[in-house]
Amino acid sequence: EAGVAQSPRYKIIEKRQSVAFWCNPISGHATLYWYQQILGQGPKLLIQFQNNGVVDDSQLPKDRFSAERLKGVDSTLKIQPAKLEDSAVYLCASSLRRDSRFYEQYFGPGTRLTVT
Amino acid sequence: AQSVSQHNHHVILSEAASLELGCNYSYGGTVNLFWYVQYPGQHLQLLLKYFSGDPLVKGIKGFEAEFIKSKFSFNLRKPSVQWSDTAEYFCAAGSGGGADGLTFGKGTHLIIQP
């Protein structure tokens, strides 16, 4: 079974520029998550999708961050404009379905973003 | 507010020593608990999980964790560590009954000296 795929793996941009990250979840996984992991901290949930609908985006800084999951498969997370404090690893995860009592989240390798 | 706290940020042990990493959670309602591991250069992997039933949970690579509801704890243990256990360990919690996003602790960086 192929894992969660993410690209790019690394990205360096200057502040005020825009950037986009892509995620392809495990085939058949209805639920997709984006997390932000700042150095020295645990991952923090940014947004959760169930198929192509948003379930939870309460911690997403909506003035600069946006995400979409068209067709309920791949997802894109965008930052526009980027700030220095956005430097972090952006993790994508997926799970089989939201109403499963024994769900497990599978994580991708992440995209390391450096904002200079 | 939901939160997860890990007691130690850095732990250094010698091979064959016993390991216990502390984790406490604050969660309303039913909670599901997880330990994830991140080996150097690799992505997060699930070590073990607790949903209900036997509070002593066994995971991969000889790890186990005990859910103590009265103490709001879910400590990770291994009786004898190996050099290959060097990694970052994260405790996480999620609401019961649905695949909601997880709340993670800050992680414990474990170094095993040969």
Side-chain angles (χ1 to χ4, degrees):
Chain A
E1 176 180 79
V4 176
Q6 291 188 247
S7 68
R9 293 294 308 277
Y10 305 92
K11 189 74 176 178
I12 301 174
I13 62 172
E14 295 181 352
K15 59 184 179 183
R16 292 187 288 275
Q17 287 186 323
S18 61
V19 65
F21 313 124
W22 172 83
C23 172
N24 181 240
I26 293 172
S27 178
H29 280 197
T31 310
L32 185 147
Y33 316 79
W34 282 101
Y35 290 85
Q36 178 193 58
Q37 186 176 14
I38 293 173
L39 186 65
Q41 298 183 23
K44 183 184 83 170
L45 180 71
L46 291 176
I47 189 168
Q48 177 187 351
F49 292 94
Q50 174 77 3
N51 296 310
N52 61 349
V54 175
V55 173
D56 181 3
D57 64 356
S58 58
Q59 299 189 89
L60 186 74
K62 299 180 186 64
D63 57 335
R64 297 184 300 107
F65 286 64
S66 64
E68 59 183 11
R69 191 182 184 198
L70 300 176
K71 302 181 182 178
V73 181
D74 295 5
S75 178
T76 303
L77 176 69
K78 296 179 181 177
I79 308 175
Q80 182 178 7
K83 293 185 176 182
L84 295 177
E85 58 260 37
D86 297 331
S87 294
V89 176
Y90 290 85
L91 298 168
C92 180
S94 69
S95 65
L96 190 56
R97 67 177 189 271
R98 185 166 179 260
D99 60 351
S100 169
R101 185 164 175 266
F102 298 98
Y103 72 97
E104 176 179 335
Q105 293 186 27
Y106 296 83
F107 284 81
T111 296
R112 183 177 297 276
L113 173 68
T114 302
V115 182
T116 63
Chain B
Q2 302 158 346
S3 66
V4 174
S5 62
Q6 293 183 238
H7 305 162
N8 310 98
H9 295 303
H10 297 278
V11 174
I12 301 174
L13 295 173
S14 298
E15 275 194 317
S18 64
L19 170 71
E20 181 162 3
L21 301 182
C23 173
N24 286 94
Y25 65 91
S26 174
Y27 237 77
T30 305
V31 65
N32 300 325
L33 296 161
F34 307 80
W35 275 98
Y36 279 85
V37 62
Q38 188 167 27
Y39 298 104
Q42 297 187 27
H43 58 273
L44 278 166
Q45 303 171 38
L46 183 67
L47 266 182
L48 46 79
K49 58 187 176 184
Y50 172 80
F51 284 85
S52 62
D54 189 343
L56 186 61
V57 180
K58 295 192 183 299
I60 61 172
K61 304 186 180 185
F63 286 91
E64 64 179 30
E66 185 175 12
F67 171 59
I68 302 180
K69 189 175 182 179
S70 61
K71 295 185 177 181
F72 301 93
S73 70
F74 190 57
N75 293 355
L76 181 70
R77 300 195 293 247
K78 186 172 184 178
S80 176
V81 294
Q82 301 171 316
W83 176 79
S84 58
D85 293 325
T86 294
E88 190 86 18
Y89 292 80
F90 294 94
C91 181
S95 61
D100 292 329
L102 300 178
T103 299
F104 283 83
K106 290 188 175 182
T108 297
H109 187 199
L110 175 65
I111 297 174
I112 306 300
Q113 297 177 330

